[in-house]
Amino acid sequence: MPPSLAVFLGGLVGTGLRLALDTVLPHADDGFPWSTFIANLVGTFVLGWLAGGLWTRPSTPGWLKAGVGSGVIGSFTTLSAVMGAVAILDHEDATGLAALYLGVSLVAGLALAAAGLKLGSSLAHRPMPTEVTDDGATL
């Protein structure tokens, strides 16, 4: 499968999952954006887990990495949604909540990405990579 098609199809799946999460956890403009928060934390953990495990295997095809990483996870998680929520909260005079959301998203996101990377590495029975490289074959 061509990587571009895998990204397109993965994007459809990730967007559908994100819409479902937004539907289940709606929020007001001045409320904590739980759906965006959860999507980004789940996405960072899963991406770390994949990068530390499945993607370290030479047999993992590039189209799968592109389709799941850039496609599914890229469309499920969105930095633009985080920044949009922060801007809206600030505009709604909820500056403290905006700062809290941004700070917790950053700290928890980094922690979950590292935890996913460590778990993926241990499940793959490989040492945790110190660097994740891409030779360009996935895109």
Side-chain angles (χ1 to χ4, degrees), residues 27 30 44 48 57 90 130 135:
H27 63 87
D30 61 348
T44 56
R57 297 178 182 164
D90 185 55
T130 56
D135 63 2

Side-chain angles (χ1 to χ4, degrees), residues 54-74:
L54 179 65
W55 292 354
T56 62
R57 297 178 182 164
S59 62
T60 304
W63 64 265
L64 182 62
K65 293 178 187 179
V68 174
S70 298
V72 176
I73 296 172

Side-chain angles (χ1 to χ4, degrees), residues 41-53:
L41 295 185
V42 168
T44 56
F45 177 79
V46 170
L47 190 58
W49 175 66
L50 289 170

Side-chain angles (χ1 to χ4, degrees), residues 5-139:
L5 178 59
V7 170
F8 174 77
L9 295 174
L12 293 174
V13 171
T15 302
L17 291 171
R18 180 56 184 271
L19 177 61
L21 186 58
D22 285 342
T23 301
V24 170
L25 297 173
H27 63 87
D29 285 347
D30 61 348
F32 195 85
W34 285 107
S35 60
T36 301
F37 182 71
I38 291 168
N40 287 323
L41 295 185
V42 168
T44 56
F45 177 79
V46 170
L47 190 58
W49 175 66
L50 289 170
L54 179 65
W55 292 354
T56 62
R57 297 178 182 164
S59 62
T60 304
W63 64 265
L64 182 62
K65 293 178 187 179
V68 174
S70 298
V72 176
I73 296 172
S75 63
F76 180 66
T77 63
T78 54
L79 181 60
S80 59
V82 172
M83 295 301 110
V86 168
I88 289 169
L89 285 169
D90 185 55
H91 180 72
E92 296 289 327
D93 294 325
T95 304
L97 187 57
L100 175 67
Y101 172 59
L102 184 60
V104 171
S105 292
L106 179 63
V107 171
L110 288 171
L112 284 170
L117 189 59
K118 185 170 182 155
L119 178 64
S121 297
S122 67
L123 292 176
H125 306 291
R126 300 175 190 268
M128 190 164 131
T130 56
E131 181 178 326
V132 178
T133 60
D134 184 0
D135 63 2
T138 61
L139 295 178

